[in-house]
Amino acid sequence: MLDGVPDPTPHPGASIAALLVPWFAGAARPLPWRAADVSPWAVLVSEFMLQQTQVARVLPRWQEWIERWPRPAELAAAPPSEAVRAWDRLGYPRRALWLHEAATEIVERHGGVVPDDLDALLALKGIGPYTARAIAAFAYGARVPVVDTNTRRVLARAIEGRAEAGPPRVVHELAAMEAQLPVDAGSARIFNAAAMELGATVCTARSPRCEACPLAGSCAWRAAGYPEYEGPRAPRQARFAGSDREMRGMVMRELRGAHGPVARAELDALGADPERLERALDSLAADGLAVREAGGYRLP
DNA sequence: GAGCCGTGGAA
DNA sequence: TTTCCAAGGCT
């Protein structure tokens, strides 16, 4: 642009942190794990629960968990079965087992303190690239890019002008977020949270509320006239009704509700196809979520 | 690296 | 009703 000549057009690809950080101050939902006095452990628990699970469903379970197990050592001292029960119906119950295992590893290898180092976090069970970065950034204030499904969509739209992010390109997306990240660590932390918040509440997958978006004036997707997504799509998930996943869920509900072993006859009484039940029990046993014993099946 | 892993809300 | 999607990670 020429000196002194204001650019009247939108700015595709323009820096978005300067817009998102102030927006977040007024628009952020008051989520309890964002409070200033929340421990890194409490942040870690929230991140496990939030994997593929909506905020509204996590809120009550998170409150219970941190009151009951306020530090890693307390969860590690409890039997895994209690973690699985307290997980209730959050889904993907392996996460409860992994969280219990991570707590044990934190006690044994890190003196009961959640590590602040990316590699140490990645070495913990159930912690992958997203969660490790989220804990480093949100619990410890590290200046690292955090990229989740919301951030991927925001970057794809605002910067690349595409409707959807498409298949993950981890290296590219981390670099893109890094390029937008404010130099100051405190602002970087807010920006990471703000990008996720925008994707969750405004720049949503289905019906984006562009009229309420702080990036509307500089959004590349909007400037291009909202072109439809052309790239490859993820394969559709298998139908849930009648699936092994559904069967696993039914079995886990029975095991959580019982306080001793559940007899095989009670599981048969669920009325499922015997082969389907057998596959579910085998896979649950392989995952460590169900233990076979003489009286039937129980939680670990 | 593709397939798999729960549950519930919204369109 | 069906389908999509949700603060991913493991094998």
Side-chain angles (χ1 to χ4, degrees):
Chain A
M1 182 195 328
L2 298 177
D3 287 344
V5 179
D7 185 346
T9 63
H11 298 63
S15 167
I16 58 180
L19 296 168
L20 276 190
V21 169
W23 168 80
F24 187 72
R29 294 166 293 177
L31 304 179
W33 42 83
R34 287 177 179 158
D37 59 344
V38 162
S39 70
W41 167 246
V43 172
L44 184 153
V45 171
S46 79
E47 294 298 346
F48 267 79
M49 291 183 168
L50 287 163
Q51 290 169 4
Q52 298 285 283
T53 305
Q54 299 89 333
V55 165
R57 296 173 56 206
V58 166
L59 283 168
R61 295 290 85 75
W62 181 82
Q63 294 284 1
E64 292 171 7
W65 271 63
I66 59 170
E67 286 170 19
R68 183 171 179 184
W69 298 303
R71 286 172 294 271
E74 279 124 9
L75 178 60
S81 58
E82 284 307 296
V84 173
R85 272 202 188 86
W87 197 256
D88 195 39
R89 291 182 300 178
L90 280 180
Y92 293 142
R94 292 186 298 185
R95 290 183 295 167
L97 224 46
W98 293 341
L99 180 46
H100 182 273
E101 189 170 335
T104 303
E105 294 170 350
I106 290 168
V107 169
E108 293 178 349
R109 305 210 296 258
H110 301 285
V113 178
V114 175
D116 60 0
D117 170 84
L118 277 185
D119 288 329
L121 286 164
L122 281 168
L124 298 175
K125 192 71 171 183
I127 294 188
Y130 162 75
T131 304
R133 291 170 174 280
I135 293 169
F138 302 139
Y140 290 110
R143 186 188 173 281
V144 294
V146 181
V147 176
D148 78 327
T149 184
N150 291 305
T151 298
R152 294 181 64 237
R153 185 172 55 251
V154 168
L155 293 177
R157 288 176 177 168
I159 296 179
E160 299 185 10
R162 302 190 297 135
E164 299 179 23
R169 296 170 291 159
V170 176
V171 173
H172 168 78
E173 287 153 2
L174 282 175
M177 194 60 180
E178 169 73 42
Q180 300 291 331
L181 209 60
V183 174
D184 166 63
S187 301
R189 183 172 134 280
I190 296 172
F191 175 61
N192 276 316
M196 294 168 62
E197 187 78 352
L198 188 76
T201 63
V202 175
C203 192
T204 54
R206 298 216 212 165
S207 306
R209 299 164 43 231
C210 300
E211 73 286 352
C213 182
L215 304 183
S218 63
C219 177
W221 185 45
R222 182 179 175 87
Y226 300 118
E228 282 188 36
Y229 178 68
E230 308 257 347
R233 291 184 174 282
R236 266 178 43 197
Q237 259 190 13
R239 166 181 224 86
F240 183 68
S243 69
D244 289 358
R245 298 170 80 166
E246 180 188 39
M247 189 73 251
R248 283 169 56 106
M250 293 168 70
V251 170
M252 289 305 295
R253 183 182 289 232
E254 293 298 314
L255 299 191
R256 282 195 310 266
H259 279 275
V262 175
R264 176 57 187 262
E266 290 187 48
L267 298 174
D268 290 335
L270 291 172
D273 167 57
E275 293 185 6
R276 182 170 160 238
L277 175 60
E278 204 58 41
R279 283 196 304 274
L281 288 171
D282 284 346
S283 69
L284 288 171
D287 287 343
L289 284 166
V291 178
R292 297 180 208 271
E293 57 177 38
Y297 293 83
R298 61 172 174 81
L299 294 180

